[in-house]
Amino acid sequence: MISLPEAVMEKIAKYYNVNADIIVSEYMNIVKADESLFMFLGETSNLIFTHAIYPEDVVKFETAIKEVDEGEQVYVSIRLKSRDSDYRWMRVFIKPYHDKTSGRYYNLEITDMYTLKRQNEELKQISEIQTEFLSIIGDYLFTYNISKDSLRIILPGNGNQTIVLYEGKLGVWSSDKLDNSMIDSHSIKDFEGLCMAIASGEPYFTRDIKMKLADYDEAAYWYTFKGKRIHRNDGENIIAGAISLTQNKEYPAEDVSVQDELRDAGTELLNKKAITNYAKKLIDKRVNHKVTIAIIDIDDFKTINDTYGHMFG
């Protein structure tokens, strides 16, 4: 337990967000509890959990326990008494706990309604952004917690049909894709730019990548990644976005050396059309960012051409 003055503990209890995972016996003794519950309830030596429940909610809680004994996993909303004698609404998820050798035990996952409301608001915000980015054939969703370096890519489905393609660190995911040649060689720079945009928390970004997104992809496909940054109330930044399978695309102008119309016939250098196409694509990608174009001129180059010929020049 953290040793703090009683007045400080009471103030913390009033505003502390409870998100606890506890074990209770069939007699409702608290066998194991997270720190957040101790902070909220106060001293819990030999505490009977039902003693902390608002009297009118005890019957509802006991009914839920009976349903768990019958093989169910139950959600129930009850009020718990804090160390300053105020009651706060909690959502409790109850399921059997089987690690004990004798007697019945229950696992209670307790979340206060304030925390739950905030989480739901964040999920709604993420969902709205992802829905905004999804096309008619939109396939995958992703989120990235910047401070925790936690990337999650899923294939949405109904209930348990949702498939998690990846969950872990961004660097591990990007290295795996690059090391296993799952990024088309022409898209490597764009893929590295995508990872940089995600890691740095770029406010808004879109990238077209030709890659094998899923391990079971038989070939590389074009995917459009669209993401947006969310600034949470607790100061953390979350990236939310969608990944859509797109139609086959041509490579950017800098990669189309086989297209004669984009090169000067004499020098085979990229011509004005190719440079214009490339500049437009670059500007479209750099939403809300400045783009600088530098033009370099060689003085008196005409003398070289006139003296040695255009082919030499």
Side-chain angles (χ1 to χ4, degrees):
M1 287 289 294
I2 299 174
S3 178
L4 292 172
E6 186 69 19
V8 175
M9 292 291 284
E10 288 179 0
K11 187 173 183 180
I12 290 174
K14 189 171 183 179
Y15 299 102
Y16 198 83
N17 298 329
V18 180
N19 195 6
D21 191 347
I22 76 171
I23 307 297
V24 298
S25 71
E26 60 185 306
Y27 305 108
M28 293 298 114
N29 299 91
I30 296 179
V31 177
K32 181 181 178 182
D34 289 349
E35 188 73 18
S36 65
L37 188 69
F38 289 141
M39 294 284 286
F40 178 74
L41 297 178
E43 184 57 48
T44 57
S45 299
N46 301 316
L47 177 67
I48 306 298
F49 182 73
T50 47
H51 291 177
I53 300 176
Y54 188 68
E56 293 181 6
D57 295 338
V58 172
V59 173
K60 181 166 55 172
F61 177 77
E62 291 175 342
T63 301
I65 290 292
K66 290 178 182 178
E67 292 179 15
V68 173
D69 289 338
E70 295 172 358
E72 301 291 333
Q73 296 185 6
V74 181
Y75 282 101
V76 62
S77 296
I78 58 175
R79 285 162 285 188
L80 288 184
K81 186 178 182 179
S82 71
R83 62 186 302 118
D84 60 1
S85 299
D86 287 338
Y87 284 94
R88 278 172 47 188
W89 279 102
M90 304 284 173
R91 188 188 69 169
V92 184
F93 176 53
I94 311 171
K95 58 185 177 181
Y97 184 75
H98 299 297
D99 286 357
K100 296 294 182 180
T101 55
S102 61
R104 293 194 303 274
Y105 292 84
Y106 307 93
N107 181 199
L108 311 183
E109 296 177 7
I110 305 171
T111 308
D112 71 272
M113 291 302 189
Y114 173 79
T115 298
L116 193 63
K117 180 175 181 291
R118 188 188 66 191
Q119 291 172 345
N120 287 340
E121 288 173 349
E122 289 171 0
L123 288 173
K124 181 181 178 183
Q125 191 176 12
I126 289 172
S127 177
E128 288 174 350
I129 290 174
Q130 291 173 331
T131 301
E132 171 191 345
F133 289 149
L134 282 173
S135 66
I136 295 176
I137 55 171
D139 292 282
Y140 305 95
L141 304 177
F142 71 92
T143 55
Y144 179 68
N145 186 309
I146 297 175
S147 64
K148 295 180 180 178
D149 186 20
S150 177
L151 174 68
R152 191 168 192 261
I153 303 175
I154 65 169
L155 176 62
N158 296 322
N160 294 330
Q161 294 179 358
T162 296
I163 299 173
V164 178
L165 264 70
Y166 179 79
E167 191 163 14
K169 294 185 179 298
L170 174 62
V172 174
W173 178 73
S174 61
S175 296
D176 176 68
K177 295 299 180 187
L178 291 168
D179 294 345
N180 291 288
S181 302
M182 300 182 76
I183 311 297
D184 187 279
S185 59
H186 295 88
S187 286
I188 289 178
K189 288 185 178 180
D190 285 331
F191 179 74
E192 291 173 343
L194 167 70
C195 294
M196 181 64 70
I198 295 174
S200 63
E202 199 167 302
Y204 176 90
F205 58 86
T206 179
R207 298 288 191 280
D208 293 324
I209 312 290
K210 189 175 184 181
M211 63 181 295
K212 294 180 180 179
L213 181 63
D215 293 338
Y216 50 76
D217 282 350
E218 296 180 357
Y221 301 102
W222 279 104
Y223 292 97
T224 297
F225 289 74
K226 292 184 178 181
K228 191 173 184 179
R229 185 179 67 203
I230 302 171
H231 185 70
R232 301 197 321 191
N233 292 333
D234 59 5
E236 288 193 352
N237 288 311
I238 303 292
I239 299 294
I243 309 168
S244 298
L245 183 65
T246 58
Q247 300 296 323
N248 289 336
K249 298 175 179 288
E250 295 293 336
Y251 284 111
E254 69 270 28
D255 296 321
V256 289
S257 57
V258 296
Q259 298 184 27
D260 293 337
E261 69 273 15
L262 298 178
R263 293 191 177 274
D264 179 78
T267 63
E268 295 188 356
L269 296 174
L270 293 175
N271 59 22
K272 180 180 178 181
K273 180 179 179 181
I275 295 172
T276 301
N277 289 348
Y278 173 67
K280 184 178 184 302
K281 187 175 182 65
L282 181 63
I283 292 170
D284 289 342
K285 282 184 178 180
R286 302 288 290 173
V287 177
N288 297 326
H289 287 73
K290 293 181 179 179
V291 175
T292 301
I293 298 176
I295 299 176
I296 301 174
D297 179 55
I298 301 177
D299 291 338
D300 301 321
F301 195 77
K302 184 176 184 299
T303 304
I304 301 294
N305 288 334
D306 292 346
T307 304
Y308 301 102
H310 286 274
M311 290 302 296
F312 182 88

